[in-house]
Amino acid sequence: MIMSIQGQTLTVDVPVTFRVSIACPAGTEAEIRAAAQGLARVAVEHLAHVGAAQIDAFNEVNRLHPHGQGRVQSVSASVQAAG
């Protein structure tokens, strides 16, 4: 994990793997792979987005059932190019 601190805010990069299963239409193997990779990338970009309401709900649960001190302020994600 990579961490950086600025004032009272600590930012932690947490590596995550999404495994996406896609039911594909008929086609050649190359067409199926290309379509599935494109759809998987868009799905992960959408599913990785966390809004303010989800952050607030997490913070409330953490207040009632603490997993650690502090409050989550923001969450962002980016999809890395396959390589």
Side-chain angles (χ1 to χ4, degrees), residues 8-83:
Q8 294 293 319
T9 301
L10 176 67
T11 300
V12 181
D13 290 345
V14 179
V16 175
T17 299
F18 283 85
R19 179 168 288 157
V20 181
S21 297
I22 298 172
C24 299
T28 67
E29 185 176 338
E31 292 170 335
I32 291 170
R33 285 183 185 275
Q37 287 174 348
L39 182 56
R41 182 179 182 89
V42 172
V44 168
E45 288 172 348
H46 175 78
L47 296 169
H49 175 75
V50 177
Q54 291 164 305
I55 292 171
D56 290 344
F58 173 84
N59 283 328
E60 182 60 16
V61 169
N62 192 53
R63 184 182 71 77
L64 297 172
H65 306 283
H67 294 285
Q69 295 180 339
R71 290 181 51 81
V72 174
Q73 294 179 321
S74 65
V75 176
S76 61
S78 61
V79 178
Q80 304 300 313

